[in-house]
Short mmCIF file of all heavy atoms in Angstrom, two decimals:
data_model
loop_
_atom_site.label_atom_id
_atom_site.label_comp_id
_atom_site.label_asym_id
_atom_site.label_seq_id
_atom_site.Cartn_x
_atom_site.Cartn_y
_atom_site.Cartn_z
N MET Z 1 147.91 99.05 117.46
CA MET Z 1 146.71 99.15 118.25
C MET Z 1 146.92 98.40 119.56
O MET Z 1 147.45 97.30 119.57
CB MET Z 1 145.53 98.56 117.47
CG MET Z 1 144.25 98.53 118.24
SD MET Z 1 142.80 98.14 117.25
CE MET Z 1 142.45 99.76 116.63
N THR Z 2 146.50 99.00 120.67
CA THR Z 2 146.65 98.37 121.97
C THR Z 2 145.44 97.49 122.28
O THR Z 2 144.41 97.58 121.61
CB THR Z 2 146.77 99.44 123.08
OG1 THR Z 2 145.54 100.14 123.18
CG2 THR Z 2 147.91 100.42 122.80
N VAL Z 3 145.58 96.67 123.31
CA VAL Z 3 144.47 95.81 123.72
C VAL Z 3 143.29 96.66 124.14
O VAL Z 3 142.13 96.35 123.84
CB VAL Z 3 144.91 94.86 124.86
CG1 VAL Z 3 143.74 94.09 125.42
CG2 VAL Z 3 145.99 93.91 124.38
N ASP Z 4 143.54 97.77 124.84
CA ASP Z 4 142.45 98.66 125.25
C ASP Z 4 141.71 99.22 124.04
O ASP Z 4 140.49 99.36 124.05
CB ASP Z 4 142.97 99.81 126.11
CG ASP Z 4 143.41 99.33 127.49
OD1 ASP Z 4 142.90 98.29 127.95
OD2 ASP Z 4 144.24 100.01 128.10
N GLN Z 5 142.43 99.54 122.99
CA GLN Z 5 141.80 100.04 121.77
C GLN Z 5 140.97 98.95 121.10
O GLN Z 5 139.92 99.22 120.53
CB GLN Z 5 142.84 100.60 120.81
CG GLN Z 5 143.47 101.89 121.28
CD GLN Z 5 144.65 102.30 120.44
OE1 GLN Z 5 145.45 101.47 120.02
NE2 GLN Z 5 144.76 103.60 120.19
N LEU Z 6 141.44 97.70 121.15
CA LEU Z 6 140.66 96.59 120.60
C LEU Z 6 139.31 96.49 121.31
O LEU Z 6 138.30 96.19 120.69
CB LEU Z 6 141.40 95.27 120.76
CG LEU Z 6 142.53 94.96 119.79
CD1 LEU Z 6 143.26 93.70 120.22
CD2 LEU Z 6 142.01 94.82 118.39
N ASP Z 7 139.31 96.75 122.61
CA ASP Z 7 138.08 96.64 123.39
C ASP Z 7 137.06 97.72 123.04
O ASP Z 7 135.90 97.60 123.39
CB ASP Z 7 138.39 96.68 124.88
CG ASP Z 7 139.13 95.43 125.35
OD1 ASP Z 7 139.04 94.39 124.66
OD2 ASP Z 7 139.78 95.51 126.40
N THR Z 8 137.47 98.77 122.34
CA THR Z 8 136.55 99.85 121.98
C THR Z 8 135.96 99.68 120.59
O THR Z 8 135.12 100.48 120.17
CB THR Z 8 137.25 101.22 122.06
OG1 THR Z 8 138.28 101.28 121.07
CG2 THR Z 8 137.83 101.48 123.43
N LEU Z 9 136.36 98.65 119.87
CA LEU Z 9 135.85 98.41 118.52
C LEU Z 9 134.40 97.94 118.58
O LEU Z 9 133.95 97.38 119.58
CB LEU Z 9 136.70 97.36 117.81
CG LEU Z 9 138.13 97.77 117.48
CD1 LEU Z 9 138.92 96.57 116.96
CD2 LEU Z 9 138.17 98.91 116.49
N PRO Z 10 133.65 98.12 117.48
CA PRO Z 10 132.27 97.60 117.44
C PRO Z 10 132.27 96.08 117.50
O PRO Z 10 133.30 95.43 117.37
CB PRO Z 10 131.74 98.12 116.10
CG PRO Z 10 132.92 98.47 115.30
CD PRO Z 10 134.03 98.81 116.26
N ALA Z 11 131.09 95.50 117.67
CA ALA Z 11 130.95 94.04 117.82
C ALA Z 11 131.45 93.27 116.61
O ALA Z 11 131.93 92.15 116.75
CB ALA Z 11 129.50 93.69 118.12
N THR Z 12 131.32 93.84 115.42
CA THR Z 12 131.81 93.19 114.21
C THR Z 12 132.54 94.20 113.34
O THR Z 12 132.30 95.40 113.43
CB THR Z 12 130.68 92.56 113.37
OG1 THR Z 12 129.77 93.58 112.97
CG2 THR Z 12 129.96 91.46 114.13
N LEU Z 13 133.42 93.68 112.51
CA LEU Z 13 134.15 94.48 111.53
C LEU Z 13 133.97 93.85 110.17
O LEU Z 13 133.70 92.65 110.05
CB LEU Z 13 135.65 94.51 111.86
CG LEU Z 13 136.07 95.09 113.20
CD1 LEU Z 13 137.55 94.81 113.45
CD2 LEU Z 13 135.79 96.58 113.24
N THR Z 14 134.16 94.63 109.13
CA THR Z 14 134.19 94.04 107.80
C THR Z 14 135.50 93.28 107.65
O THR Z 14 136.45 93.48 108.41
CB THR Z 14 134.09 95.12 106.71
OG1 THR Z 14 135.27 95.93 106.77
CG2 THR Z 14 132.83 95.96 106.86
N VAL Z 15 135.55 92.41 106.67
CA VAL Z 15 136.78 91.65 106.42
C VAL Z 15 137.95 92.59 106.12
O VAL Z 15 139.03 92.41 106.71
CB VAL Z 15 136.56 90.60 105.31
CG1 VAL Z 15 137.87 89.95 104.89
CG2 VAL Z 15 135.56 89.54 105.78
N PRO Z 16 137.79 93.60 105.26
CA PRO Z 16 138.92 94.51 105.03
C PRO Z 16 139.35 95.28 106.29
O PRO Z 16 140.55 95.49 106.50
CB PRO Z 16 138.41 95.47 103.95
CG PRO Z 16 137.36 94.69 103.24
CD PRO Z 16 136.70 93.86 104.30
N GLU Z 17 138.40 95.68 107.14
CA GLU Z 17 138.76 96.37 108.38
C GLU Z 17 139.58 95.46 109.30
O GLU Z 17 140.60 95.89 109.86
CB GLU Z 17 137.50 96.84 109.12
CG GLU Z 17 136.78 97.98 108.47
CD GLU Z 17 135.42 98.25 109.09
OE1 GLU Z 17 134.82 97.36 109.74
OE2 GLU Z 17 134.95 99.39 108.90
N ALA Z 18 139.15 94.22 109.45
CA ALA Z 18 139.89 93.27 110.28
C ALA Z 18 141.26 92.99 109.67
O ALA Z 18 142.26 92.92 110.39
CB ALA Z 18 139.10 91.97 110.42
N GLY Z 19 141.30 92.87 108.35
CA GLY Z 19 142.58 92.65 107.68
C GLY Z 19 143.55 93.79 107.90
O GLY Z 19 144.75 93.57 108.09
N THR Z 20 143.04 95.01 107.92
CA THR Z 20 143.91 96.17 108.17
C THR Z 20 144.56 96.05 109.54
O THR Z 20 145.75 96.34 109.69
CB THR Z 20 143.09 97.47 108.07
OG1 THR Z 20 142.60 97.60 106.74
CG2 THR Z 20 143.93 98.69 108.41
N LEU Z 21 143.81 95.60 110.55
CA LEU Z 21 144.38 95.42 111.88
C LEU Z 21 145.48 94.36 111.89
O LEU Z 21 146.39 94.41 112.70
CB LEU Z 21 143.29 95.03 112.88
CG LEU Z 21 142.24 96.10 113.17
CD1 LEU Z 21 141.16 95.53 114.09
CD2 LEU Z 21 142.88 97.33 113.79
N LEU Z 22 145.36 93.41 110.96
CA LEU Z 22 146.36 92.35 110.86
C LEU Z 22 147.49 92.68 109.89
O LEU Z 22 148.40 91.89 109.70
CB LEU Z 22 145.68 91.05 110.41
CG LEU Z 22 144.66 90.47 111.39
CD1 LEU Z 22 143.85 89.37 110.73
CD2 LEU Z 22 145.36 89.96 112.63
N GLY Z 23 147.39 93.84 109.25
CA GLY Z 23 148.41 94.24 108.28
C GLY Z 23 148.22 93.59 106.93
O GLY Z 23 149.18 93.43 106.16
N LEU Z 24 146.98 93.21 106.60
CA LEU Z 24 146.68 92.56 105.33
C LEU Z 24 145.92 93.50 104.41
O LEU Z 24 145.15 94.33 104.88
CB LEU Z 24 145.81 91.32 105.55
CG LEU Z 24 146.38 90.22 106.44
CD1 LEU Z 24 145.32 89.16 106.69
CD2 LEU Z 24 147.62 89.62 105.82
N GLY Z 25 146.10 93.33 103.13
CA GLY Z 25 145.32 94.06 102.16
C GLY Z 25 143.95 93.41 101.98
O GLY Z 25 143.67 92.34 102.54
N ARG Z 26 143.12 94.05 101.16
CA ARG Z 26 141.75 93.57 100.95
C ARG Z 26 141.72 92.14 100.41
O ARG Z 26 141.03 91.27 100.95
CB ARG Z 26 141.05 94.52 99.98
CG ARG Z 26 139.65 94.12 99.61
CD ARG Z 26 139.05 95.09 98.59
NE ARG Z 26 137.90 94.56 97.93
CZ ARG Z 26 136.66 94.63 98.42
NH1 ARG Z 26 136.45 95.24 99.56
NH2 ARG Z 26 135.65 94.11 97.76
N ASP Z 27 142.46 91.87 99.33
CA ASP Z 27 142.44 90.53 98.73
C ASP Z 27 142.97 89.46 99.69
O ASP Z 27 142.40 88.38 99.80
CB ASP Z 27 143.23 90.52 97.43
CG ASP Z 27 142.57 91.32 96.33
OD1 ASP Z 27 141.36 91.64 96.45
OD2 ASP Z 27 143.27 91.66 95.34
N ALA Z 28 144.06 89.78 100.39
CA ALA Z 28 144.63 88.82 101.34
C ALA Z 28 143.67 88.56 102.50
O ALA Z 28 143.59 87.45 103.02
CB ALA Z 28 145.97 89.33 101.87
N SER Z 29 142.92 89.59 102.91
CA SER Z 29 141.95 89.44 103.99
C SER Z 29 140.83 88.47 103.60
O SER Z 29 140.47 87.57 104.36
CB SER Z 29 141.35 90.79 104.36
OG SER Z 29 142.34 91.67 104.80
N TYR Z 30 140.28 88.66 102.40
CA TYR Z 30 139.22 87.76 101.93
C TYR Z 30 139.76 86.35 101.70
O TYR Z 30 139.08 85.36 101.99
CB TYR Z 30 138.56 88.30 100.67
CG TYR Z 30 137.51 89.34 100.98
CD1 TYR Z 30 137.74 90.69 100.73
CD2 TYR Z 30 136.28 88.98 101.53
CE1 TYR Z 30 136.79 91.65 101.03
CE2 TYR Z 30 135.33 89.93 101.84
CZ TYR Z 30 135.58 91.26 101.58
OH TYR Z 30 134.63 92.21 101.90
N ALA Z 31 141.00 86.23 101.23
CA ALA Z 31 141.59 84.91 101.05
C ALA Z 31 141.75 84.21 102.40
O ALA Z 31 141.44 83.01 102.53
CB ALA Z 31 142.94 85.02 100.35
N ALA Z 32 142.18 84.94 103.43
CA ALA Z 32 142.32 84.36 104.77
C ALA Z 32 140.96 83.94 105.32
O ALA Z 32 140.83 82.88 105.95
CB ALA Z 32 142.99 85.36 105.71
N ALA Z 33 139.94 84.76 105.08
CA ALA Z 33 138.58 84.41 105.52
C ALA Z 33 138.10 83.14 104.81
O ALA Z 33 137.52 82.25 105.45
CB ALA Z 33 137.63 85.57 105.25
N ASN Z 34 138.34 83.03 103.52
CA ASN Z 34 137.91 81.85 102.75
C ASN Z 34 138.64 80.60 103.19
O ASN Z 34 138.08 79.50 103.11
CB ASN Z 34 138.09 82.09 101.26
CG ASN Z 34 137.07 83.05 100.71
OD1 ASN Z 34 135.96 83.14 101.21
ND2 ASN Z 34 137.45 83.80 99.68
N ARG Z 35 139.88 80.73 103.66
CA ARG Z 35 140.65 79.58 104.14
C ARG Z 35 140.32 79.22 105.59
O ARG Z 35 140.80 78.23 106.11
CB ARG Z 35 142.16 79.86 104.03
CG ARG Z 35 142.71 79.89 102.64
CD ARG Z 35 144.24 79.93 102.64
NE ARG Z 35 144.77 81.06 103.37
CZ ARG Z 35 145.11 82.25 102.82
NH1 ARG Z 35 145.00 82.42 101.52
NH2 ARG Z 35 145.59 83.22 103.57
N GLY Z 36 139.52 80.06 106.25
CA GLY Z 36 139.19 79.81 107.65
C GLY Z 36 140.22 80.34 108.62
O GLY Z 36 140.14 80.07 109.83
N GLU Z 37 141.19 81.10 108.15
CA GLU Z 37 142.23 81.65 109.01
C GLU Z 37 141.76 82.93 109.72
O GLU Z 37 142.34 83.32 110.72
CB GLU Z 37 143.48 81.96 108.19
CG GLU Z 37 144.10 80.73 107.59
CD GLU Z 37 145.19 81.03 106.59
OE1 GLU Z 37 145.37 82.19 106.18
OE2 GLU Z 37 145.89 80.07 106.21
N LEU Z 38 140.74 83.55 109.19
CA LEU Z 38 140.14 84.74 109.78
C LEU Z 38 138.70 84.37 110.14
O LEU Z 38 137.94 83.96 109.26
CB LEU Z 38 140.17 85.89 108.77
CG LEU Z 38 139.72 87.27 109.24
CD1 LEU Z 38 140.61 87.78 110.36
CD2 LEU Z 38 139.77 88.25 108.08
N PRO Z 39 138.34 84.46 111.42
CA PRO Z 39 136.99 84.03 111.82
C PRO Z 39 135.92 84.97 111.26
O PRO Z 39 136.04 86.18 111.39
CB PRO Z 39 137.03 84.10 113.35
CG PRO Z 39 138.11 85.10 113.65
CD PRO Z 39 139.11 84.99 112.54
N VAL Z 40 134.92 84.40 110.62
CA VAL Z 40 133.88 85.23 110.02
C VAL Z 40 132.49 84.67 110.31
O VAL Z 40 132.33 83.48 110.55
CB VAL Z 40 134.04 85.37 108.49
CG1 VAL Z 40 135.30 86.13 108.13
CG2 VAL Z 40 134.01 84.03 107.80
N LEU Z 41 131.52 85.57 110.30
CA LEU Z 41 130.10 85.21 110.33
C LEU Z 41 129.54 85.58 108.97
O LEU Z 41 129.83 86.65 108.45
CB LEU Z 41 129.36 86.05 111.38
CG LEU Z 41 129.74 85.88 112.83
CD1 LEU Z 41 129.02 86.93 113.67
CD2 LEU Z 41 129.38 84.49 113.30
N ARG Z 42 128.76 84.71 108.40
CA ARG Z 42 128.09 85.03 107.13
C ARG Z 42 126.66 85.41 107.46
O ARG Z 42 125.91 84.62 108.03
CB ARG Z 42 128.13 83.86 106.17
CG ARG Z 42 127.47 84.19 104.82
CD ARG Z 42 127.61 83.06 103.83
NE ARG Z 42 128.99 82.78 103.49
CZ ARG Z 42 129.70 83.41 102.55
NH1 ARG Z 42 129.14 84.41 101.89
NH2 ARG Z 42 130.92 83.07 102.28
N ILE Z 43 126.30 86.64 107.14
CA ILE Z 43 124.94 87.12 107.33
C ILE Z 43 124.45 87.55 105.96
O ILE Z 43 124.90 88.57 105.42
CB ILE Z 43 124.89 88.28 108.34
CG1 ILE Z 43 125.41 87.79 109.70
CG2 ILE Z 43 123.47 88.83 108.46
CD1 ILE Z 43 125.50 88.83 110.77
N GLY Z 44 123.59 86.73 105.38
CA GLY Z 44 123.19 86.96 103.99
C GLY Z 44 124.41 86.83 103.10
O GLY Z 44 125.11 85.82 103.14
N ARG Z 45 124.69 87.86 102.34
CA ARG Z 45 125.86 87.84 101.46
C ARG Z 45 127.08 88.49 102.11
O ARG Z 45 128.16 88.48 101.54
CB ARG Z 45 125.53 88.58 100.17
CG ARG Z 45 124.48 87.84 99.35
CD ARG Z 45 124.16 88.55 98.08
NE ARG Z 45 125.37 88.84 97.33
CZ ARG Z 45 125.42 89.54 96.22
NH1 ARG Z 45 124.31 90.03 95.71
NH2 ARG Z 45 126.55 89.78 95.61
N ARG Z 46 126.89 89.05 103.32
CA ARG Z 46 127.98 89.76 103.98
C ARG Z 46 128.82 88.82 104.84
O ARG Z 46 128.30 87.90 105.48
CB ARG Z 46 127.44 90.86 104.88
CG ARG Z 46 126.74 91.94 104.08
CD ARG Z 46 126.47 93.14 104.91
NE ARG Z 46 127.74 93.76 105.30
CZ ARG Z 46 127.84 94.71 106.18
NH1 ARG Z 46 126.77 95.17 106.79
NH2 ARG Z 46 129.02 95.23 106.48
N LEU Z 47 130.11 89.07 104.87
CA LEU Z 47 131.02 88.40 105.79
C LEU Z 47 131.44 89.43 106.83
O LEU Z 47 131.94 90.50 106.48
CB LEU Z 47 132.27 87.89 105.06
CG LEU Z 47 132.12 86.70 104.14
CD1 LEU Z 47 133.45 86.39 103.47
CD2 LEU Z 47 131.64 85.50 104.92
N LEU Z 48 131.23 89.10 108.10
CA LEU Z 48 131.62 89.99 109.18
C LEU Z 48 132.54 89.25 110.14
O LEU Z 48 132.37 88.05 110.38
CB LEU Z 48 130.39 90.50 109.93
CG LEU Z 48 129.43 91.35 109.11
CD1 LEU Z 48 128.16 91.62 109.90
CD2 LEU Z 48 130.08 92.65 108.68
N VAL Z 49 133.50 89.96 110.69
CA VAL Z 49 134.45 89.38 111.63
C VAL Z 49 134.03 89.80 113.04
O VAL Z 49 134.01 90.99 113.35
CB VAL Z 49 135.88 89.87 111.33
CG1 VAL Z 49 136.86 89.28 112.33
CG2 VAL Z 49 136.28 89.51 109.90
N PRO Z 50 133.70 88.82 113.92
CA PRO Z 50 133.37 89.17 115.30
C PRO Z 50 134.61 89.71 116.01
O PRO Z 50 135.67 89.08 116.02
CB PRO Z 50 132.94 87.84 115.93
CG PRO Z 50 132.74 86.91 114.79
CD PRO Z 50 133.57 87.41 113.66
N THR Z 51 134.48 90.89 116.59
CA THR Z 51 135.63 91.55 117.21
C THR Z 51 136.21 90.72 118.35
O THR Z 51 137.42 90.66 118.52
CB THR Z 51 135.23 92.95 117.70
OG1 THR Z 51 134.68 93.67 116.59
CG2 THR Z 51 136.41 93.71 118.23
N GLY Z 52 135.37 90.06 119.12
CA GLY Z 52 135.86 89.23 120.23
C GLY Z 52 136.76 88.11 119.74
O GLY Z 52 137.79 87.82 120.34
N ARG Z 53 136.37 87.48 118.63
CA ARG Z 53 137.19 86.38 118.09
C ARG Z 53 138.47 86.92 117.47
O ARG Z 53 139.52 86.29 117.54
CB ARG Z 53 136.39 85.57 117.08
CG ARG Z 53 135.28 84.78 117.82
CD ARG Z 53 134.56 83.82 116.97
NE ARG Z 53 135.44 82.82 116.40
CZ ARG Z 53 135.12 82.10 115.32
NH1 ARG Z 53 133.95 82.27 114.75
NH2 ARG Z 53 135.95 81.22 114.85
N LEU Z 54 138.40 88.12 116.88
CA LEU Z 54 139.60 88.75 116.33
C LEU Z 54 140.56 89.10 117.46
O LEU Z 54 141.76 88.88 117.37
CB LEU Z 54 139.24 90.00 115.53
CG LEU Z 54 140.41 90.75 114.90
CD1 LEU Z 54 141.13 89.87 113.88
CD2 LEU Z 54 139.93 92.04 114.26
N ARG Z 55 140.02 89.61 118.56
CA ARG Z 55 140.84 89.94 119.73
C ARG Z 55 141.54 88.69 120.24
O ARG Z 55 142.73 88.71 120.55
CB ARG Z 55 139.98 90.55 120.83
CG ARG Z 55 140.77 90.98 122.04
CD ARG Z 55 139.81 91.37 123.18
NE ARG Z 55 140.50 91.98 124.28
CZ ARG Z 55 141.26 91.32 125.16
NH1 ARG Z 55 141.42 90.01 125.05
NH2 ARG Z 55 141.84 91.96 126.15
N ALA Z 56 140.81 87.59 120.36
CA ALA Z 56 141.41 86.33 120.82
C ALA Z 56 142.50 85.86 119.88
O ALA Z 56 143.52 85.33 120.32
CB ALA Z 56 140.33 85.26 120.97
N LEU Z 57 142.32 86.07 118.58
CA LEU Z 57 143.32 85.70 117.59
C LEU Z 57 144.59 86.53 117.78
O LEU Z 57 145.70 86.02 117.68
CB LEU Z 57 142.76 85.90 116.18
CG LEU Z 57 143.66 85.59 115.00
CD1 LEU Z 57 143.89 84.09 114.90
CD2 LEU Z 57 143.02 86.10 113.72
N LEU Z 58 144.41 87.81 118.08
CA LEU Z 58 145.56 88.72 118.20
C LEU Z 58 146.28 88.62 119.54
O LEU Z 58 147.51 88.66 119.58
CB LEU Z 58 145.10 90.17 117.99
CG LEU Z 58 144.64 90.51 116.58
CD1 LEU Z 58 144.03 91.91 116.56
CD2 LEU Z 58 145.81 90.44 115.62
N VAL Z 59 145.54 88.51 120.64
CA VAL Z 59 146.18 88.56 121.96
C VAL Z 59 145.93 87.33 122.80
O VAL Z 59 146.41 87.25 123.92
CB VAL Z 59 145.74 89.82 122.74
CG1 VAL Z 59 146.17 91.07 122.04
CG2 VAL Z 59 144.27 89.83 123.01
N GLY Z 60 145.18 86.37 122.30
CA GLY Z 60 144.88 85.17 123.07
C GLY Z 60 143.65 85.38 123.93
O GLY Z 60 143.13 86.49 124.03
N PRO Z 61 143.19 84.33 124.57
CA PRO Z 61 142.00 84.44 125.42
C PRO Z 61 142.29 85.32 126.63
O PRO Z 61 143.44 85.47 127.03
CB PRO Z 61 141.70 82.99 125.82
CG PRO Z 61 142.97 82.26 125.61
CD PRO Z 61 143.74 82.99 124.54
N PRO Z 62 141.24 85.90 127.23
CA PRO Z 62 141.44 86.72 128.43
C PRO Z 62 142.14 85.92 129.52
O PRO Z 62 141.88 84.74 129.71
CB PRO Z 62 140.02 87.10 128.85
CG PRO Z 62 139.19 86.91 127.65
CD PRO Z 62 139.85 85.83 126.84
N HIS Z 63 143.03 86.56 130.23
CA HIS Z 63 143.81 85.92 131.30
C HIS Z 63 142.97 85.79 132.56
O HIS Z 63 142.32 86.74 132.97
CB HIS Z 63 145.07 86.73 131.59
CG HIS Z 63 145.85 86.20 132.74
ND1 HIS Z 63 146.54 85.02 132.67
CD2 HIS Z 63 146.02 86.68 133.99
CE1 HIS Z 63 147.13 84.80 133.84
NE2 HIS Z 63 146.83 85.78 134.65
N VAL Z 64 142.99 84.61 133.15
CA VAL Z 64 142.31 84.40 134.43
C VAL Z 64 143.39 84.15 135.47
O VAL Z 64 144.22 83.26 135.30
CB VAL Z 64 141.35 83.18 134.36
CG1 VAL Z 64 140.73 82.91 135.71
CG2 VAL Z 64 140.30 83.42 133.30
N ALA Z 65 143.40 84.95 136.51
CA ALA Z 65 144.41 84.84 137.56
C ALA Z 65 144.15 83.60 138.40
O ALA Z 65 143.03 83.36 138.84
CB ALA Z 65 144.39 86.08 138.43
N THR Z 66 145.21 82.80 138.63
CA THR Z 66 145.10 81.60 139.48
C THR Z 66 146.40 81.40 140.24
O THR Z 66 147.44 81.93 139.86
CB THR Z 66 144.82 80.33 138.65
OG1 THR Z 66 145.88 80.15 137.71
CG2 THR Z 66 143.50 80.40 137.92
N GLY Z 67 146.34 80.63 141.29
CA GLY Z 67 147.54 80.23 141.99
C GLY Z 67 148.16 81.33 142.84
O GLY Z 67 147.63 82.42 143.01
N THR Z 68 149.35 81.03 143.38
CA THR Z 68 150.00 81.94 144.31
C THR Z 68 150.49 83.21 143.62
O THR Z 68 150.56 84.25 144.25
CB THR Z 68 151.19 81.25 145.00
OG1 THR Z 68 152.08 80.78 144.00
CG2 THR Z 68 150.72 80.09 145.86
N ALA Z 69 150.83 83.14 142.35
CA ALA Z 69 151.29 84.32 141.64
C ALA Z 69 150.19 85.36 141.51
O ALA Z 69 150.44 86.52 141.28
CB ALA Z 69 151.81 83.94 140.26
N ALA Z 70 148.95 84.95 141.70
CA ALA Z 70 147.82 85.87 141.55
C ALA Z 70 147.38 86.47 142.88
O ALA Z 70 146.37 87.13 142.96
CB ALA Z 70 146.64 85.13 140.92
N GLY Z 71 148.14 86.25 143.92
CA GLY Z 71 147.80 86.87 145.20
C GLY Z 71 147.21 85.91 146.21
O GLY Z 71 146.47 86.32 147.09
N ASN Z 72 147.55 84.62 146.11
CA ASN Z 72 147.12 83.62 147.08
C ASN Z 72 145.61 83.53 147.24
O ASN Z 72 145.09 83.50 148.35
CB ASN Z 72 147.79 83.88 148.45
CG ASN Z 72 149.29 83.76 148.35
OD1 ASN Z 72 149.81 82.87 147.71
ND2 ASN Z 72 149.99 84.66 149.02
N TRP Z 73 144.88 83.49 146.15
CA TRP Z 73 143.43 83.34 146.23
C TRP Z 73 143.11 81.93 146.72
O TRP Z 73 143.76 80.96 146.32
CB TRP Z 73 142.80 83.52 144.85
CG TRP Z 73 142.95 84.90 144.32
CD1 TRP Z 73 143.89 85.34 143.46
CD2 TRP Z 73 142.16 86.02 144.64
NE1 TRP Z 73 143.76 86.66 143.20
CE2 TRP Z 73 142.69 87.12 143.92
CE3 TRP Z 73 141.07 86.23 145.46
CZ2 TRP Z 73 142.15 88.39 144.01
CZ3 TRP Z 73 140.54 87.51 145.53
CH2 TRP Z 73 141.07 88.56 144.82
N PRO Z 74 142.14 81.78 147.60
CA PRO Z 74 141.76 80.44 148.06
C PRO Z 74 141.30 79.58 146.88
O PRO Z 74 140.73 80.10 145.93
CB PRO Z 74 140.59 80.69 149.03
CG PRO Z 74 140.71 82.12 149.41
CD PRO Z 74 141.37 82.81 148.26
N GLU Z 75 141.52 78.29 146.98
CA GLU Z 75 141.15 77.39 145.91
C GLU Z 75 139.65 77.51 145.60
O GLU Z 75 138.83 77.56 146.51
CB GLU Z 75 141.48 75.95 146.30
CG GLU Z 75 141.29 74.98 145.16
CD GLU Z 75 141.82 73.60 145.52
OE1 GLU Z 75 142.78 73.51 146.29
OE2 GLU Z 75 141.24 72.63 145.01
N GLY Z 76 139.30 77.58 144.32
CA GLY Z 76 137.92 77.70 143.89
C GLY Z 76 137.44 79.13 143.81
O GLY Z 76 136.34 79.38 143.34
N THR Z 77 138.25 80.10 144.23
CA THR Z 77 137.87 81.50 144.16
C THR Z 77 138.26 82.06 142.80
O THR Z 77 139.34 81.78 142.30
CB THR Z 77 138.58 82.33 145.26
OG1 THR Z 77 138.24 81.78 146.51
CG2 THR Z 77 138.18 83.78 145.19
N VAL Z 78 137.40 82.84 142.20
CA VAL Z 78 137.68 83.47 140.93
C VAL Z 78 138.04 84.91 141.17
O VAL Z 78 137.30 85.66 141.82
CB VAL Z 78 136.47 83.39 139.97
CG1 VAL Z 78 136.76 84.11 138.67
CG2 VAL Z 78 136.10 81.95 139.71
N ALA Z 79 139.21 85.33 140.69
CA ALA Z 79 139.64 86.71 140.84
C ALA Z 79 139.06 87.55 139.73
O ALA Z 79 139.05 87.14 138.57
CB ALA Z 79 141.16 86.78 140.80
N HIS Z 80 138.54 88.70 140.04
CA HIS Z 80 138.01 89.62 139.04
C HIS Z 80 139.00 90.75 138.86
O HIS Z 80 139.39 91.38 139.84
CB HIS Z 80 136.64 90.17 139.45
CG HIS Z 80 135.61 89.11 139.56
ND1 HIS Z 80 135.00 88.57 138.45
CD2 HIS Z 80 135.11 88.45 140.63
CE1 HIS Z 80 134.15 87.64 138.85
NE2 HIS Z 80 134.20 87.55 140.16
N GLU Z 81 139.40 90.97 137.60
CA GLU Z 81 140.38 92.02 137.33
C GLU Z 81 139.70 93.34 137.09
O GLU Z 81 138.63 93.45 136.66
CB GLU Z 81 141.23 91.65 136.12
CG GLU Z 81 142.03 90.40 136.41
CD GLU Z 81 142.87 90.00 135.22
OE1 GLU Z 81 142.82 90.65 134.16
OE2 GLU Z 81 143.58 89.02 135.34
#
């Protein structure tokens, strides 16, 4: 799955759906969630994985361009990609 495809996912996934993206089976996915290795929200009895946090786990936080390598932006200017 590409980063662009990750951006098209719904806001939350089930634990098994998130585990599939990580190459884990159902039991391993729930075990990772119980250990805190897979970020989850508990809503009632359901465990849901926030897609944004899963994306950060897979590809890291969004990149913010800074410095001369980003095109000589003046100090304090935020570049929008």
Side-chain angles (χ1 to χ4, degrees):
M1 176 169 276
T2 67
V3 173
D4 289 335
Q5 290 170 321
L6 282 172
D7 291 338
T8 65
L9 293 172
T12 61
L13 299 170
T14 66
V15 171
E17 289 170 338
T20 297
L21 293 175
L22 296 168
L24 301 173
R26 177 183 164 85
D27 291 344
S29 299
Y30 279 106
N34 288 330
R35 289 190 303 265
E37 297 170 348
L38 186 62
V40 294
L41 296 172
R42 182 175 297 275
I43 299 176
R45 294 180 52 185
R46 295 192 66 190
L47 288 178
L48 297 172
V49 179
T51 305
R53 291 188 60 200
L54 180 63
R55 183 189 189 286
L57 179 69
L58 292 172
V59 298
H63 175 71
V64 176
T66 59
T68 57
N72 298 318
W73 294 97
E75 188 171 329
T77 302
V78 177
H80 297 282
E81 297 179 358

